[in-house]
Amino acid sequence: NAGVMQNPRHLVRRRGQEARLRCSPVKGHSHVYWYRQLPEEGLKFMVYLQKENIIDESGMPKERFSAEFPKEGPSILRIQQVVRGDSAAYFCASSPGSAGGNTEAFFGQGTRLTVV
Amino acid sequence: QKEVEQNSGPLSVPEGAIASLNCTYSDRGSQSFFWYRQYSGKSPELIMSIYSNGDKEDGRFTAQLNKASQYVSLLIRDSQPSDSATYLCAVRSGRAQKLVFGQGTRLTINP
């Protein structure tokens, strides 16, 4: 019974390159969340996705950041033209839904992005 | 006003005592509430969920919810040094019921 799988665990990119972070949810979960966390800070909401649909992207920067959760395959968080300020831990979580019954969300191990 | 607020601490409690962690939220329509524990350098781990007013107990942990006061708390009885971590309160908020976190309370249990 695999949990949320994120890869890579560590990613180093030079300024200006693209970073692509992947998240495979718990089997049977149709909702995915992405969060960013800086050292000694809380989890900052970025985007909430359902398969083939963005439910809430109010936490996503307007430029360079995008996310998708296709019908098949993992959810992808893409950061184009990375800058040093993008260095952080990026966590993905998944849940069966968001209303009624069990809405518990479980986290992956995170991707630590370092921009050099 | 932040959607979810916690006292960032640090909160220091002697071993064996009760640790009390508090959280308030702004969206009166919120229906689902969660407590996560995060050790340094690790990912958040779900420890309690609560959906209705009152208390919910699980081992040494008790979650308390008061929707009228928009208040959630977590009590840890017989605190152990291994309970030392940051505790994150999370609430489903807004029309889309996205999962929003407080800034976390750092708890230290002193032997």
Side-chain angles (χ1 to χ4, degrees):
Chain A
N1 185 16
V4 178
M5 303 298 291
Q6 288 189 249
N7 66 80
R9 293 288 303 277
H10 300 275
L11 182 61
V12 179
R13 283 288 177 266
R14 295 186 183 280
R15 282 178 294 171
Q17 290 184 320
E18 177 179 287
R20 190 171 296 202
L21 288 61
R22 287 176 288 276
C23 170
S24 295
V26 172
K27 187 176 181 180
H29 284 190
S30 58
H31 292 236
V32 165
Y33 316 78
W34 285 94
Y35 297 86
R36 178 165 63 181
Q37 189 175 41
L38 295 171
E40 308 303 320
E41 294 190 10
L43 287 164
K44 182 177 181 298
F45 170 81
M46 299 182 74
V47 63
Y48 174 21
L49 307 117
Q50 197 174 9
K51 278 194 182 287
E52 299 184 281
N53 185 30
I54 297 175
I55 299 176
D56 188 318
E57 57 181 347
S58 57
M60 288 279 272
K62 299 296 182 197
E63 297 177 350
R64 302 189 298 109
F65 285 73
S66 63
E68 63 177 3
F69 187 16
K71 184 177 180 181
E72 301 291 338
S75 175
I76 305 288
L77 177 67
R78 184 182 291 110
I79 311 172
Q80 296 177 302
Q81 299 176 319
V82 296
V83 300
R84 288 219 172 108
D86 296 333
S87 296
Y90 291 83
F91 289 101
C92 167
S94 74
S95 72
S98 62
N102 181 0
T103 65
E104 294 177 344
F106 298 92
F107 279 82
Q109 294 301 303
T111 294
R112 271 75 178 173
L113 172 66
T114 302
V115 179
V116 296
Chain B
Q1 182 184 9
K2 289 183 179 179
E3 291 177 281
V4 182
E5 294 207 56
Q6 297 179 249
N7 187 330
S8 60
L11 176 65
S12 187
V13 172
E15 184 175 358
I18 295 175
S20 177
L21 303 156
N22 304 312
C23 172
T24 59
Y25 61 94
S26 61
D27 182 6
R28 285 197 169 274
S30 294
Q31 297 295 321
S32 306
F33 308 87
F34 309 91
W35 283 98
Y36 288 80
R37 177 176 61 198
Q38 186 176 28
Y39 293 112
S40 181
K42 302 296 185 182
S43 62
E45 173 192 9
L46 179 67
I47 54 174
M48 289 287 286
S49 60
I50 186 166
Y51 301 97
S52 54
N53 278 329
D55 294 0
K56 179 182 177 182
E57 187 174 318
D58 183 2
R60 295 186 296 111
F61 298 96
T62 299
Q64 299 175 316
L65 174 61
N66 184 327
K67 290 184 180 179
S69 301
Q70 296 174 242
Y71 178 89
V72 194
S73 66
L74 179 70
L75 301 177
I76 307 174
R77 290 182 300 280
D78 187 23
S79 297
Q80 304 296 310
S82 59
D83 294 327
S84 298
T86 296
Y87 288 81
L88 300 162
C89 173
V91 177
R92 289 202 176 271
S93 179
R95 184 177 58 84
Q97 291 290 285
K98 67 186 181 188
L99 191 60
V100 180
F101 284 79
Q103 68 269 37
T105 298
R106 183 178 295 179
L107 174 66
T108 300
I109 307 300
N110 300 308

